[in-house]
Amino acid sequence: MKTRNCNPSMLSAAVVSYQPAATAKDDNTTANSPRRSRYMSSKHRLTPGSRIVLSLATAAVLLALSIVGSSEHGLHSPALASAAPLTRHTPVQHLSSQNKRQIPSRLGGGGRPQAEEDPCRILGQLEEPYVTWTHVQQCYENVPYNVTEANTILSTLYTLYRDYYIFLDMAMLENQPKPFTNPPVDILQGLDLISQQEYHSDFQFQTDVEILVSRLNDAHANYLAFCYRHYLFVQPFELYAPVANNVQTVRILVDKSFNDLEECQVLTIDGINALDAIQNYIDVNSAISKDAGVRLNKALTANTFNADTKEWTLNPGLFTSRATLPERQTMVYHIQCPASAAHPHGREERLNVDWEVYRLVSWNSFESTESFLNRNCYSDTDPNPKKSTRQHSGRVSQERRKVKESWKPAWEGSVQEAVDIPRHETIKSLPSIEKRQYVKDEVAWMIFNGTTTAFYQLAKRPSIGVVVIPTHSVNLEIESKIMVEGFERLYESGVRNVILDMTSNGGGYVTFAYDLVDWMFPTDNQTSVYQSDLRASMSAKAIAQVDLTNDDYSSYFNPSSFSDIGTHKDFETNFFLQDQLIRRAHRRLNYTPKVFMNHNLGALEMGMPWQNDAQRIVIMTDGACGSACGMSLNRLKNTHGVQSYAVGGRVGEDLSMFSFPGASVYGLDSLLNDFENLGVDSPMQRIRYKGIFRVPILEFFQEGDPVPIEYNPKLYTADFHLDYTPVTARHHEVLWEIVANNHWREDGETGDDPSIEKKLFQ
């Protein structure tokens, strides 16, 4: 067990200094910029597209943005490009392309279609197992680049980020201390540079925009067009990175190739050190956190809590299970396996493994490139529209709007959480096998469970309870009653100390975030609500002014949704007009005064021994606790002094306890709904593509600290860092006993060597 302290050392390889002379702009300059009629060149040229290997022009864009670092963290590694193809020493029959069923010749096989063939027509006729990476790649790249749609997208995104993105300035900070590892990004300059590129395919354009937004490393900022996310690409291995004797390796946790490769060490992937190859990929393709260790956790297979079954199940990582097109058809592994009965001296192999391809449930049938666009890309021509992904619009009845006491603020109905991408629900079930089980003692008993939350009591330490909170997206009325009863059941069972396990909690309702803190520390309810501010652009001021006197509709920007931090009274005037011009990094921008988000405090003093006692509470997380979950954890740790344990990441490095805790998110469609319903002219248009397009529009502050929580690395680092082992990676509950033994020790017990782990791995 190690106590981790924040490392103040700066990054050198992954962070490129920002040049203020080239991009620094004042808000009043950008606000008066002409409409983006010059956004896209009419010239087209073929640009071979892939998820990672970008066109030379786009690579130049990313370099100019300081969003590509050294080859270790960049989009393309020369070592990867020049590596000689690896061949398999020992045949692995399940992985051999010779054993795949032959694709009917009329569909063109896996090779390049004839010139007159429409590759999307071919792809649209294929089902599993005939779909290959090549079929998908050829269809995607055949979708023509649409200048009109690109103009709309770039113009709208430019205005959205210029006028509403709360971290427009902070995102350009360079040389941030660890645990942050994100480079500075000027999102407006990035959109400008993309507008100057020449594209042949819509796929390459969409990929470049998505990667640009992803480099903000802010899971609240999303540009996710679903068009090229209707197929799932899967490798037969589920990987993890356990630590033994202070050495971290990549191993195969689950082998679905039926070749007995579990616990084989993966030395290299595509010719690169395996851990670096995984980190390089996830640094570009996941915006979950500014901490590389948290991103690594999302790339690898890990246990997540199933709220329906109340069981911990292995969830494939984003490295071997992708809804985006991989950069090439085959992944090359160099593996080394330990001695076994079949191989007494061990074995070492090189494997060429094709991606298996499955249609996701979002897939709609198509017969051509045109029908692919109409049915799988465009929202206005979708024959089977799915459930709306739009954020809560804030519409309320006139009666409710007029009765102030019963009026619900618009933000309170929106879900503040990470986007769950990719969604792994496929049309055809993925192959599964029985995972290797170890004989284990029972670690904990379930005392009570609700719709999502579950309550446990440790078997060997019955005075210690565990509350598993996998999400803040709950039915607030029901879950509030469940929390009260669950805590009462724990107390009646003899529990006096509690572990709050928020592993992989991506967030949810702001109200639940505040209520959770109030349940643990009910005597000082006001401290659970954060001071916050918003961007005060001209259009935001206009919405707020109209909304203040509108009796039929309430938007996020209604001043009455907020209260004065001095008087705690709801605003009756438009505080957006009291804006201040502030420079935090490189741009002077207009912000509102600090305000409170209104919150009806409903938690009660229950008389539990852990209430108002930080020594009796422990937080446990894998660092992916985001948004509303991060709001809870920040209050518990940095306001009330509760200690925290973070699991996973890189050995010997600090790990964040939460990922993106300091903002409130709003969707583009919801914002445009506000303009329409309030009769205010909008400076933006709707994006025709189905997808998730949203930005954080409000930021939170810790009292007395001028730096917003989202960009305040000193608040992130967990007090303790636990590494995964072969046992804890398979049995999440063992971590509870390790944390309990370390934090509340008894005579003869140590947290560094819990008895349960020895028994499990014998």
Side-chain angles (χ1 to χ4, degrees), residues 581-598:
L581 195 62
I582 301 173
R583 185 194 300 274
R584 292 176 177 162
H586 298 286
R587 281 192 175 95
R588 289 190 303 157
L589 302 172
N590 292 82
Y591 298 88
T592 69
K594 297 287 195 322
V595 297
F596 280 133
M597 299 174 76
N598 291 343

Side-chain angles (χ1 to χ4, degrees), residues 14 68 112 156 226 269 369 473 482 506 722:
V68 176
R112 173 66 62 180
T156 293
F226 294 158
I269 299 174
T369 299
S473 294
I482 288 171
L722 285 171

